[in-house]
Amino acid sequence: MTITPQGSPAGFPVPAQAPAKDTVPGPPVVSPLSDITERPGRCLPGGVAVLTALAAACGTAALLLGPAGTSPAVLGGAAAVLAAVTALTALGLARGRPGSVWLLTRHGAYRGTVRRTGLLWISPLLVRRRVDTSLRHWRSSPIEATDADGTPLQVTVLMVWRVRDTARAAFAVHDHVRYLRALVEAAVARCVSRLPADDFRGPGPTLRDTDRLTDDLTRMLVQDLKPAGIEVFSVQPVRIDYAPAVASTLRRAQLAALDDRHRRAALDAALTAVGETVRGLTERGLVDLDDYERKALVRDLTVAYCTAHVPEAGAQTA
């Protein structure tokens, strides 16, 4: 269909414009490596391979030492075939060990993972690489971070982990150990920034609650490292220290806050004891005091009690 718009010369039809289509976003781009998962690799028991190699070697020797009369070409061809079988069988022998697996590739393509232990036979046409799957632990060096109050800290963590999916660990990331350490540093920076290291104003959630910090770090790294085929068991903070630039100042503030809490606790205990003493004397009728005398008695008892107990609390703090 053609449309001649108004004002256009006759005889010059203008093609009708197609209605505008709504722009629909396409599916998200997914890396082809995200679909790689571990699968069993092909292998044979090592005993069968050894028996095959011995049989081929014996056959080769029998052909070479056999009776004359057979065509040399036939003998040479048969001996060459048996020798090739012997070499192929011997080259494919491998040993599977607990805590490690064989990762198999061919021309860069993943061909499976062998988790069997003992003597095995794996095709020598495949490239074999050992991958450690045992339970491993890693103690980090001090990681620089900042708490919720902006105080610079140095945090040391202990991580327990292992490779769960060898295909993802080998192909989803370039180096799964370096990737793990980088994510640990990022997780520590994120979790530490949620709470203050110490709350000098009063009791409250702080980073000294290591159980809470351990749960947050472990939960975060379990999700972050799962696409790389790494299983995380625990991430525990070993040390949480102030950065050297502010360590001395904040330690003095921490000691001052502790001393203030001890003094407040001693004062509360003194007031409670004085109140109970005055109440007991009044209820038993031992004294008959007016307001002025009651205030004077309370003052004298408070001073006496604080003099006897506050210095002791200060000595314990020191």
Side-chain angles (χ1 to χ4, degrees), residues 42-202:
R42 296 181 179 179
C43 67
L44 294 176
V48 175
V50 171
L51 292 177
T52 303
L54 291 176
C58 293
T60 303
L63 288 175
L64 295 178
L65 301 176
T70 307
S71 172
V74 175
L75 287 175
V81 171
L82 291 176
V85 171
T86 303
L88 187 66
T89 306
L91 291 175
L93 290 175
R95 185 180 62 174
R97 296 182 300 184
S100 66
V101 299
W102 287 111
L103 185 74
L104 309 180
T105 59
R106 178 186 293 168
H107 306 300
Y110 176 60
R111 287 293 180 264
T113 300
V114 178
R115 288 185 173 267
R116 295 176 60 179
T117 58
L119 189 62
L120 308 170
W121 184 85
I122 301 173
S123 173
L125 302 178
L126 298 174
V127 178
R128 294 173 287 182
R129 186 178 71 178
R130 279 198 181 275
V131 178
D132 188 359
T133 57
S134 60
L135 196 65
R136 303 170 65 180
H137 70 277
W138 173 63
R139 181 187 175 112
S140 71
S141 56
I143 301 172
E144 296 183 357
T146 305
D147 69 354
D149 294 334
T151 305
L153 303 173
Q154 289 184 340
V155 183
T156 304
V157 298
L158 177 66
M159 181 175 183
V160 181
W161 63 282
R162 71 175 179 181
V163 174
R164 181 73 175 181
D165 192 311
T166 56
R168 289 182 179 272
F171 300 106
V173 292
H174 177 67
D175 187 340
H176 66 274
V177 176
R178 295 179 60 184
Y179 180 73
L180 176 145
R181 296 181 179 181
L183 282 186
V184 168
E185 294 181 1
V188 167
R190 290 166 58 188
C191 291
V192 167
S193 63
R194 297 174 179 176
L195 295 173
D198 292 292
D199 191 357
F200 302 119
R201 295 163 294 186

Side-chain angles (χ1 to χ4, degrees), residues 288-298:
D288 187 10
L289 304 174
D290 56 14
D291 292 340
Y292 178 79
E293 292 174 340
R294 184 180 294 104
K295 291 178 182 179
L297 179 60
V298 169

Side-chain angles (χ1 to χ4, degrees), residues 191-278:
C191 291
V192 167
S193 63
R194 297 174 179 176
L195 295 173
D198 292 292
D199 191 357
F200 302 119
R201 295 163 294 186
T206 64
L207 296 177
R208 304 303 175 184
D209 184 3
T210 56
D211 291 339
R212 178 174 181 176
L213 185 57
T214 297
D215 294 340
D216 293 342
L217 286 172
T218 303
R219 188 182 309 108
M220 185 178 298
L221 286 171
V222 165
Q223 297 298 325
D224 292 344
L225 290 172
K226 187 176 180 180
I230 297 176
E231 183 179 9
V232 178
F233 293 91
S234 67
V235 185
Q236 304 177 15
V238 178
R239 294 188 62 181
I240 301 177
D241 296 327
Y242 293 111
V246 299
S248 59
T249 302
L250 290 175
R251 286 197 183 100
R252 287 195 298 268
Q254 187 178 20
L255 290 176
L258 290 175
D259 185 66
D260 182 65
R261 291 178 185 175
H262 279 292
R263 292 182 181 274
R264 288 179 180 272
L267 182 59
D268 292 341
L271 294 177
T272 302
V274 169
E276 292 178 355
T277 302
V278 174

